[in-house]
Amino acid sequence: MSTKQAGANSTRYSLLEDVGALAGGLTRISTPAFVYDEAVLDQLLTHADRLRQEDRCQVLFAIKSFSFSDALKLMAPRLDGFAVSSLFEAKLAQKANTGGGTLHITAPGLRNDEVEEIGSLCDYVSFNSLSQWDMYRDRIKDRASCGLRVNPQLSFLDDERYDPCRPASKLGVPLEDLVSAFHDDPARLAGVRGILFHSNCDSPDFGELLSTVRHLYSSAGSILENLDWINLGGGYLFEDGQNLSGLHQALDFLKSRLDVDVFFEPGSALIRAAGYIVSTVLDVFPSEGSMVAVLDTSINHMPEVFEYDFEPDVVGHDDDAPHKYLLAGCTCLAGDIFGEYRLPDPLKVGDKVIFNNAGSYTMTKAHVFNGIGLPSVYALTAQGEFVHKSTFTFDQYAARWGLGPHAAV
Ligand SMILES: Cc1ncc(COP(=O)(O)O)c(C=O)c1O
């Protein structure tokens, strides 16, 4: 099992975990379903308030982790804006940005034909490389505050698959190159108003953020002194009662030395605990000593299960429970397996299996391999009602393959 989810699963707020109380509603929803829980979302947003630290930093939400527009509209008034990674995300975020916050973009490869539109939609643009800076900054600099994504070259992750500071990283200007560029050719970098770094993944330790900030300042303090803003990226988790002293110290460190606006742009931390995949058991059968339960969902609805090789949480699983099942997805991929789980009661066809802590990087990465449609989306209101938001239709599927008026290929 990968460490990617480590530390991610201790938040337990869920209404859905009280499945008994919601049983009626659950039987009426069409599965597979992605459910976002508005009450949990509300609690997660209180963390954003704690992070702001008396307005010493502004909290954005990185919509790459979760992009459902009704939920973004709900979140917007509690946020200082959104962080996006493409023109499409920028357009979506702008429509959901009911709170009047700012839009921030960074992407490894901005496209020549999108630069002006990105500049008109986004308030802050962090170019990923010096060459993209050279190519595009003059076309954007009068519309948006421009800066650079920096790779601090200080790694905290053992697994390179999700380490933005991995060797030869494509993510950001290596800190040493930034320092030499400012030294060798300051005119080239005239107009850099800020820097963004995003250098961690699912870390519960804000001490690592503090180390990164100190490291940046000790290597590039004179550069930072001339900036208007610093964006600390995402990559950190925060939960009730979590020690935020590393974050406080990082903000103290920056604010006591620099006259900059500080942005923080978490994704997972603000949404993971608020989302569930609800599935129905389609079949149960023995296979060489194991009981296999095939669900009407697939790991393609939670692709990080496969990408990062971890077992997602399942409501009701208990290491000591008597009934053991291999929970499997319904595609032809042999490895479409969620994992081995123990449940208190035997599973039968028609039962519901619920994956909790599934709010981040599920729907935004989900795909339709084998023609298995994307989950329907429901909001679970604070009153315990499931409100239907969308259903993936055959027409949407067919359009991808060149059929119908909205054909994409
Ligand atoms: C630039 C940037 N900002 C923010 C995030 C959000 O990270 P997380 O969801 O881990 O908080 C990411 C994730 O990849 C990112 O690349």
Side-chain angles (χ1 to χ4, degrees), residues 62 64-65 106 149 196 198 201-202 233-236 265-269 361:
K64 69 187 76 182
S65 61
T106 188
R149 177 170 179 167
L196 173 148
H198 167 81
C201 182
D202 281 359
Y236 290 86
E265 50 177 47
S268 284
Y361 302 103

Side-chain angles (χ1 to χ4, degrees), residues 137-408:
R137 56 114 198 274
D138 284 343
R139 288 164 56 190
I140 292 193
K141 70 178 186 330
D142 296 332
R143 304 164 191 241
S145 181
C146 292
L148 290 167
R149 177 170 179 167
V150 175
N151 166 7
Q153 298 179 284
L154 184 62
S155 180
F156 300 104
L157 295 152
D158 296 329
D159 191 331
E160 286 186 2
R161 287 175 300 175
Y162 36 85
D163 183 3
C165 302
R166 61 192 275 164
S169 172
K170 64 171 188 182
L171 297 170
V173 183
L175 182 57
E176 64 196 19
D177 293 359
L178 180 83
V179 172
S180 347
F182 267 99
H183 180 264
D184 299 343
D185 189 0
R188 180 184 182 195
L189 295 179
V192 171
R193 303 299 347 131
I195 59 160
L196 173 148
F197 65 85
H198 167 81
S199 58
N200 220 329
C201 182
D202 281 359
S203 171
D205 180 3
F206 278 108
E208 295 173 348
L209 182 68
L210 175 62
S211 305
T212 307
V213 161
R214 285 190 171 133
H215 174 66
L216 273 173
Y217 190 79
S218 74
S219 309
S222 59
I223 299 171
L224 303 192
E225 270 153 25
N226 292 311
L227 300 180
D228 297 334
W229 50 270
I230 296 184
N231 185 326
L232 311 178
Y236 290 86
L237 300 173
F238 31 90
E239 292 167 349
D240 284 342
Q242 183 168 331
N243 182 352
L244 296 181
S245 67
L247 175 70
H248 300 188
Q249 289 174 55
L251 292 176
D252 284 346
F253 185 92
L254 290 172
K255 290 289 186 179
S256 62
R257 287 165 179 80
L258 306 168
D259 184 19
V260 285
D261 291 331
V262 179
F263 299 101
F264 189 45
E265 50 177 47
S268 284
L270 291 179
I271 193 65
R272 182 177 284 154
Y276 314 86
I277 294 283
V278 181
S279 65
T280 302
V281 178
L282 298 180
D283 197 5
V284 185
F285 55 85
S287 176
E288 298 180 10
S290 291
M291 285 304 283
V292 177
V294 179
L295 309 177
D296 65 357
T297 183
S298 153
I299 57 165
N300 300 325
H301 296 158
M302 304 176 80
E304 289 199 340
V305 167
F306 201 61
E307 281 170 31
Y308 298 135
D309 189 24
F310 69 86
E311 292 185 350
D313 290 352
V314 167
V315 174
H317 164 78
D318 178 344
D319 287 342
D320 299 323
H323 303 282
K324 192 164 81 169
Y325 293 95
L326 203 58
L327 296 182
C330 59
T331 72
C332 68
L333 178 70
D336 185 1
I337 303 283
F338 292 97
E340 202 170 70
Y341 296 86
R342 286 184 166 274
L343 300 170
D345 300 307
L347 275 181
K348 56 185 189 315
V349 170
D351 283 350
K352 296 281 184 280
V353 170
I354 301 171
F355 296 92
N356 56 333
N357 280 311
S360 58
Y361 302 103
T362 45
M363 291 299 274
T364 53
K365 287 189 165 184
H367 60 86
V368 295
F369 179 56
N370 267 202
I372 306 301
L374 297 176
S376 299
V377 177
Y378 292 82
L380 176 60
T381 67
Q383 293 71 40
E385 276 171 48
F386 290 92
V387 179
H388 178 248
K389 295 288 178 177
S390 72
T391 294
F392 188 79
T393 62
F394 172 71
D395 285 348
Q396 288 170 319
Y397 172 72
R400 291 191 65 192
W401 310 122
L403 196 65
H406 303 295

